[in-house]
Structures are given as structure tokens and as C-alpha cells.
Amino acid sequence: MSRRTVVVVGGGYGGSAIAKALDAEADVVLIDPRDAFVNSAGSLRALTQPDWAHNMFFPYDQWLRRGTVVRDRAVSVDPGGVTLASGRRVEADYLVLATGSSYAYPAKPASDSMDEVLDDLLRTHKELAGSGRVLILGAGPVGLELAGEIKEVWPHKHVTIVDPAEQLLAAFPAEMREELRRQLDELDVHLRLGTRLTEPPATEPGQAATFTVTTTGGEEITADIWFRAHGVRVNSDYLADGRLTTRTPQGQVPVTETLNVRGYDHVYAIGDITDVAETKMAGYAMQHAEVVAQNIIARLRGEQPAATYQPLPHPMILLPLGPRGGVGQLPTPDGPAVVPAETVSAYKGADLFTGRFTEQFGAAA
């Protein structure tokens, strides 16, 4: 039987996991403008500790043994394949949409080149290193993790976080939120919740220059550098022409419980781009990838696909504050359980999943 072509659009957490899982089963074509899988969970540590930054990158050509990597961007997708920005057409027997979402630098790198990402992070590190007062806009997981990484390297920097939300991580239990507040107080991170800035800083994020801003509560905050830690955007513009599907108002793709794009049994979507009702996290994207890999392998073998994805009834999170601190909630047979800093460190904080991806993809760059 002739081998089938599986085209995976997007080489992030879910897309890379799918490509790896199907590499021996089909002719995999992975489309991504980058030259490596990037473990963006490590971006904030790479910012504060540049010597650690190489741990983020797993070059595609080192772990995709049989498959092909096409460094390009999709501009249109239809049931038969993908049209790229270069004008090239890639035909597909099976399609997987895994383009994820975008987020403000430095939480997600801005460049497609490993070398350029490292240069960007080193340049911003130098700006941050010389700044005594740091302002972070956004008290979600990214803003809190950034504060923790900064305090790990520079305990005496003055770090302030501003967010219009009245409380931290409102979707999680009080026990976890109280422990988070305790650790932030211990780190001397200054929280300003329930307020926003009347005007954004006059300087660009990540560039050192002293400025003063005012909150809607009338407080003046002076800092030497600031970072944006909010604003997720789904990467689905290439579907805007409607040749494959109609997106939700949020730009997401409607999928079935088998993670098929609705209306197609050979097209799948995984990760942040889907309309699955759950918090968008890398861990979920990789679970989606397992389901889709099983279903495509079943089809390749002439079997009926049976794997389905059911979102967890309660959100899970591992939120490190540096390599040793943090809070979390994980599923257990008895329901969700709040876990201590030691567990967060063991599962994520100590190496930010570097060991997990080394096992999956081989040594980092």
C-alpha cells in the first residue's frame, strides 16, 4: 500500500508531537517558519539566565527522521492541501492544523531563527539587568512567572505587577490563591490588582528607560523597564478565506470529540486553535496530539478511529515562581488537588520540561 502524506501546519507543542508520532507511519510534511521546535515555557528563564537559553530549542532536522520540514507560512488551507506564502502548494491525504497562538515577547520569541531569538533575549537581558525597577502589565500565569524568574536572579529588584482583575487566578481555589499571594509577598513582588494604567508607558516594552505612569486609582508608579504579559491571539488568519471552515468569533476552529475539523474525516485541529472549552495550555495541546495521532494511525491501517478527547472538568496548572517556588493544581482520581511548590518544581519549575523534550526529541540545540 502506498504511503500517505500527512501535512502538519505548525510545529509548536502539538504539531511537533504529531509529526514525531507519525514520522515512521506516513510521509510527514511539517510546515513552520521556524528552524526548531521552541519550548517557549523556557523563554522567561532564558531572558533572565541567557546561559540557559539553548535548552529551549530542538531543531526539526535533528529529530524528524523521515519527514520533511518546509520553512514557510500557510496562507490558505482547503480540504486537499495547503498554499504557502511562497506560492508553493502542498497536497495532503491528512491535514492537521496546529498553529497555536501568539503572545507578547518575551513569553514567546518574536523571531523564526534560533540565532535571532538568542540575540533578542540577550539584548533584552542586558536592558533588564541594568534596571532596578520593573513594571509588569498582567497578573496571569505569564506575568507571575516572569516576576518569579526576575526575583530568582535579582532578589533586590523592585517588581510591580498591575492588572485590572480584582483577584489572582480567579478560576482556581482559594487555598491555591492564598499560597500564591504568600509566596509573592515573600519574594517582595508588589501587586496592584483591580486597577489599570491611565496611559501606557511612553517607552517600548523590554527597553530600559525610566518613566512614570499613573493607575486609574491615582497611584504613580516609576519604573526603569516594563513588559507586557497579556493578550493572546489565535494564529488562524490563513483560514479567513473560508475554503476549509468557518472560524468562531474568537478565530478558533470547530472540532468534534475526535478533534476532526467539523465536516471532514481527514482534517484535524489541535491546541489553541480549537474551540475545545478549556484553558489553552501546552499540556492540553500535547494531549490533543496523542488523540489525533491514534486516529490517523487507525485510518492508515484501515481501522475505524476511536480515540476521543474529553476536556478535564477542572482546570489544571503548574505555575512556577523560579525553579523552586510556585503553585499548582493537578487532577487526581478524587478530583483536582492543590499541590505544593515542591511538586511544581519537580514537574516543571526545575527544568521547565527540558528533560521531557530531550526524551522526546533528543538533545537540545
Side-chain angles (χ1 to χ4, degrees):
M1 199 174 78
S2 61
R3 288 172 64 86
R4 298 292 185 173
T5 299
V6 179
V7 176
V8 181
V9 186
Y13 289 101
S16 286
I18 283 269
K20 179 70 172 177
L22 298 178
D23 196 26
E25 303 284 341
D27 291 331
V28 173
V29 179
L30 177 62
I31 298 169
D32 196 287
R34 296 169 295 188
D35 53 4
F37 164 69
V38 181
N39 175 22
S40 55
S43 293
L44 303 178
R45 186 161 300 167
L47 170 67
T48 60
Q49 302 181 49
D51 289 348
W52 188 89
H54 67 277
N55 288 304
M56 291 171 57
F57 304 100
F58 297 82
Y60 296 125
D61 60 8
Q62 289 184 15
W63 56 262
L64 201 56
R65 303 300 181 193
R66 300 175 57 105
T68 303
V69 180
V70 178
R71 289 194 64 188
D72 207 334
R73 295 182 188 276
V75 295
S76 181
V77 174
D78 58 72
V82 183
T83 302
L84 304 177
S86 62
R88 178 177 172 183
R89 169 81 178 171
V90 182
E91 301 289 342
D93 295 303
Y94 296 93
L95 269 169
V96 182
L97 310 181
T99 42
S101 59
S102 297
Y103 199 91
Y105 172 83
K108 287 196 176 179
S111 174
D112 296 328
S113 156
M114 258 191 312
D115 290 341
E116 289 178 10
V117 171
L118 291 169
D119 287 346
D120 289 344
L121 288 166
L122 182 58
R123 182 169 56 252
T124 310
H125 169 84
K126 291 175 180 176
E127 300 276 321
L128 174 58
S131 302
R133 296 162 296 186
V134 183
L135 173 63
I136 299 171
L137 299 183
V142 171
L144 299 171
E145 286 191 35
L146 175 56
E149 294 295 338
I150 291 171
K151 283 292 190 174
E152 174 68 20
V153 177
W154 300 286
H156 301 299
K157 282 193 191 298
H158 189 280
V159 177
T160 302
I161 305 177
V162 174
D163 196 293
E166 295 290 342
Q167 58 181 341
L168 292 172
L169 304 185
F172 291 90
E175 174 192 352
M176 196 183 93
R177 290 187 279 112
E178 288 165 7
E179 173 60 14
L180 178 58
R181 285 298 293 256
R182 186 194 69 77
Q183 291 187 40
L184 291 168
D185 288 345
E186 195 172 79
L187 292 171
D188 196 28
V189 171
H190 302 262
L191 288 174
R192 298 292 182 268
L193 300 178
T195 191
R196 62 182 77 234
L197 302 187
T198 57
E199 296 285 344
T203 60
E204 291 296 313
Q207 294 184 3
T210 302
F211 61 88
T212 299
V213 289
T214 305
T215 70
T216 50
E219 180 185 2
E220 288 192 343
I221 299 172
T222 299
D224 306 304
I225 195 170
W226 71 282
F227 295 97
R228 181 180 289 111
H230 62 86
V232 179
R233 188 178 70 82
V234 176
N235 295 328
S236 64
D237 289 352
Y238 61 96
L239 299 173
D241 59 14
R243 297 180 68 194
L244 180 72
T245 187
T246 300
R247 297 176 294 169
T248 70
Q250 295 74 37
Q252 295 171 335
V253 177
V255 294
T256 66
E257 64 177 2
T258 54
L259 299 176
N260 285 97
V261 175
R262 291 193 180 277
Y264 304 98
D265 61 7
H266 70 294
V267 183
Y268 298 84
I270 60 175
D272 291 6
I273 197 173
T274 68
D275 69 344
V276 176
E278 63 189 359
T279 306
K280 300 305 181 183
M281 296 171 58
Y284 294 145
M286 291 186 284
Q287 290 177 18
H288 294 184
E290 291 178 13
V291 169
V292 172
Q294 289 177 44
N295 285 334
I296 291 179
I297 288 171
R299 288 195 173 277
L300 292 171
R301 295 175 179 172
E303 302 165 2
Q304 191 64 27
T308 61
Y309 182 78
Q310 300 297 330
L312 292 171
H314 301 281
M316 69 174 184
I317 193 171
L318 290 169
L319 198 168
L321 296 175
R324 293 162 294 167
V327 298
Q329 177 170 282
L330 294 176
T332 74
D334 300 319
V338 174
V339 296
E342 293 78 13
T343 302
V344 177
S345 175
Y347 278 95
K348 182 180 180 182
D351 75 345
L352 299 174
F353 300 133
T354 302
R356 173 178 183 167
F357 292 119
T358 299
E359 187 176 314
Q360 186 172 358
F361 299 129

